[in-house]
Amino acid sequence: MSISSEVLDAARAVEARRGVRAAALVAASLVETNARAFAPVGERREPLIRFEGHYFDRLLDGDKRRIARLAGLSSPRAGAIRNPAGQEARWRLLSQAAAIDAEAAFEATSWGLGQVMGSHWRKLGFAGAGEMATRARQSAEGQFDIVARFLKTGPFVERLERADWAGFARLYNGPGFAANGYDGKIASAWRQASRALGSPVV
């Protein structure tokens, strides 16, 4: 799989600005989105997203939660609201949720190249999930800026540099990482990203 120059250039720019290894940014994006920054949505280019209906449900109360559940947009059970396969359909789902509560909908969505949840907006230094969403929609560089902020919240890059694939996977993907082989995927992605960027390969 080739990595576009748009993505590689964006990773290098964010490395220069944020001090986070471009190889780490690209490696995360390879696993999460195949390093694909945008998808066509109607006549627009939009970042890749994943909407979590159970998370949306937790952020709502009263009439908003009742309306969202009746519309099939939220559920207390994880996985009950299925994400469509295509990004255009996912953006329709997000748009419907945003009509009920935009900030909650953006918070319940994973954004862009690294699929970072909008719920992290506060610790990443954004004024709200809406501002984080705006950054993701601006450019590949904006999406990597989000990933870089997230990687700086823990020893993510250090784990990659030590070839501690399981340690990185546990932090980034959660304790169930082994079920989908995330550690093996990130190991392969780190090597591919390093080669594409001309960086030393672990």
Side-chain angles (χ1 to χ4, degrees):
M1 177 205 329
S2 62
I3 306 168
S4 73
S5 59
E6 177 185 23
V7 166
L8 294 174
D9 289 347
R12 291 186 182 103
V14 171
E15 178 183 49
R17 192 171 74 253
R18 292 278 179 193
V20 174
R21 287 275 300 272
L25 302 172
V26 175
S29 76
L30 280 165
V31 177
E32 294 293 336
T33 58
N34 290 324
R36 183 179 171 209
F38 293 99
V41 176
E43 296 182 358
R44 310 189 311 274
R45 271 198 344 157
E46 294 286 9
L48 275 62
I49 60 168
R50 180 179 175 84
F51 176 74
E52 302 291 354
H54 68 288
Y55 203 96
F56 187 51
D57 193 77
R58 287 206 302 268
L59 295 170
L60 302 174
D61 55 24
D63 284 345
K64 286 185 177 181
R65 180 182 288 155
R66 180 181 56 79
I67 292 166
R69 287 182 178 179
L70 286 172
L73 297 169
S74 78
S75 169
R77 185 168 60 85
I81 308 302
R82 298 187 64 182
N83 267 266
Q87 286 294 315
E88 189 156 6
R90 290 188 185 192
W91 272 91
R92 279 198 299 272
L93 189 69
L94 175 58
S95 178
Q96 291 164 359
I100 296 170
D101 188 316
E103 191 66 14
F106 295 147
E107 203 168 325
T109 300
S110 297
W111 292 94
L113 282 159
Q115 289 294 282
V116 178
M117 278 286 288
S119 59
H120 296 301
W121 62 267
R122 186 177 285 104
K123 73 178 180 181
L124 301 187
F126 290 102
E131 183 184 55
M132 182 173 153
T134 297
R135 181 68 54 85
R137 298 176 77 177
Q138 284 173 344
S139 63
E141 191 173 328
Q143 293 174 41
F144 274 142
D145 180 65
I146 292 168
V147 180
R149 293 184 192 210
F150 185 73
L151 293 181
K152 291 180 86 167
T153 65
F156 292 95
V157 179
E158 294 91 327
R159 299 279 169 91
L160 291 175
E161 290 173 338
R162 293 202 314 264
D164 180 6
W165 315 123
F168 177 91
R170 187 176 292 107
L171 285 173
Y172 202 93
N173 192 240
F177 72 90
N180 62 6
Y182 201 97
D183 50 339
K185 292 174 183 176
I186 197 66
S188 175
W190 173 258
R191 289 189 288 269
Q192 182 182 352
S194 297
R195 284 192 298 270
L197 289 157
S199 305
V201 179
V202 177

